[in-house]
Amino acid sequence: MKNKKNNNLKLLIAGKVRLLRQERRWTQSQLAKLLGLSQNRLSELERGQGSFSAENFLILLREFNLPVSYFAETKSASADQLQNALARLGAGHLLEVQDVLPSEELQDVLSVIKETIVDGKSSRQIAALAPVIVNHAGKISFGRLREDLERIGLGRRLAWVLDNTSEAVKFELDGVSLSRRQRILYRKTVTILERFLENWFLFASDQADKHDEVIDSSLVTPESIAEAREGNSPVSKKWNVISRMEIQDFIKALEAAHGQG
């Protein structure tokens, strides 16, 4: 039974990799070169005869700008479930979708943040993490979150989200009329995030892996990626991330959620 399940999973992954290659109109030779494999070996893997390595998966995720859940055997939480969870945890400007059952995977703030970053499809939901982080900054284990996401090669996505959130919160503190409670909460958030990110950036700066990571799912062609890289925000450049999203997107999410409070 176990062997049958493993074979089914290999065939599922093989089919998804083959489909990715065909959709981009790549030859097996082109994809094999990207993955550091021979064409014959890739042909075997695309037929389910063997397993791709973890490094192969990371290369595929980066090259094709995919969420980690793309290769999952089971479906992750739906976009509607994720939106409802974000709204419940502080992104009150997001309308809750009616008649959607809550997901068992989205019962706490850590899993909601992780799922939003891993999924990475909706820029509106990614920006909506800002008010969620502000509301729960003192309760979030950022170290654990970092470990979980770095384990699957998405640590810099988290750093990028936290840095954008920190900058957006500082902007709000300088120019927005906030209640005493909100101002205390915002200042606490900035202190927590800046301390965490400072230590992280010092470590990341010493790492040899400096490739750019494309986050925005709308960037699918070399031309669009090059254009986005040219207009990258300072935060995106700092963490070697390519995205059309800017700090202003996170500011708007904070302002919208603040208006609902």
Side-chain angles (χ1 to χ4, degrees):
M1 180 66 72
K2 185 176 180 180
N3 288 338
K4 182 178 180 181
K5 185 176 181 180
N6 288 340
N7 288 335
N8 288 340
L9 182 57
K10 287 179 182 179
L11 289 171
L12 173 71
I13 293 173
K16 289 188 174 185
V17 172
R18 184 171 60 252
L19 181 61
L20 285 173
R21 177 177 60 77
Q22 292 171 342
E23 285 178 342
R24 192 171 283 198
R25 297 183 180 179
W26 280 15
T27 63
Q28 281 188 336
S29 178
Q30 287 173 301
L31 183 56
K33 183 178 180 181
L34 176 72
L35 297 177
L37 303 170
S38 69
Q39 183 177 343
N40 286 341
R41 180 55 180 158
L42 177 60
S43 178
E44 291 174 351
L45 293 176
E46 284 193 356
R47 296 196 302 271
Q49 299 173 5
S51 301
F52 289 93
S53 69
E55 183 179 356
N56 292 154
F57 282 122
L58 287 177
I59 293 172
L60 288 167
L61 293 175
R62 291 166 181 166
E63 177 64 30
F64 293 92
N65 193 22
L66 299 167
V68 174
S69 57
Y70 178 84
F71 290 107
E73 189 174 11
T74 57
K75 292 183 178 179
S76 59
S78 72
D80 288 343
Q81 289 172 324
L82 192 55
Q83 178 154 315
N84 286 357
L86 288 165
R88 171 173 52 84
L89 290 169
H93 61 298
L94 296 180
L95 292 177
E96 290 199 50
V97 183
Q98 300 301 312
D99 301 322
V100 173
L101 294 175
S103 167
E104 293 183 2
E105 290 78 24
L106 301 176
Q107 295 302 310
D108 60 84
V109 64
L110 214 64
S111 60
V112 171
I113 294 173
K114 190 189 308 182
E115 183 71 20
T116 304
I117 290 174
V118 168
D119 184 66
K121 292 177 182 176
S122 168
S123 58
R124 191 160 185 260
Q125 289 184 350
I126 292 174
L129 285 173
V132 171
I133 290 168
V134 168
N135 276 10
H136 302 272
K139 306 172 187 175
I140 298 172
S141 174
F142 289 110
R144 176 184 165 191
L145 194 56
R146 172 184 170 180
E147 288 177 4
D148 288 348
L149 289 169
E150 283 192 329
R151 195 176 297 119
I152 56 176
L154 298 179
R156 273 185 294 153
R157 291 194 184 195
L158 172 63
W160 175 81
V161 166
L162 297 182
D163 212 344
N164 273 300
T165 297
S166 178
E167 293 300 315
V169 170
K170 285 189 282 187
F171 180 89
E172 292 283 279
L173 280 169
D174 286 340
V176 178
S177 177
L178 300 169
S179 68
R180 182 174 180 276
R181 176 184 172 281
Q182 288 171 324
R183 192 165 290 278
I184 291 172
L185 188 61
Y186 274 37
R187 285 173 176 165
K188 180 180 179 181
T189 300
V190 169
T191 300
I192 292 172
L193 294 184
E194 285 194 333
R195 184 182 299 131
F196 181 71
L197 288 168
E198 181 181 4
N199 293 332
W200 191 347
F201 184 68
L202 288 174
F203 173 79
S205 298
D206 294 333
Q207 302 304 297
D209 186 6
K210 298 294 184 181
H211 72 276
D212 290 328
E213 180 175 350
V214 180
I215 288 182
D216 198 323
S217 60
S218 67
L219 302 176
V220 294
T221 66
E223 293 76 17
S224 63
I225 292 173
E227 181 182 354
R229 181 187 285 113
E230 186 68 24
N232 249 359
S233 70
V235 171
S236 293
K237 290 177 181 176
K238 176 180 177 180
W239 296 103
N240 293 99
V241 161
I242 300 176
S243 174
R244 289 195 175 104
M245 292 182 67
E246 300 181 348
I247 294 171
Q248 192 63 35
D249 295 293
F250 292 81
I251 292 172
K252 288 178 180 178
L254 284 174
E255 291 177 344
H258 173 61
Q260 294 294 322

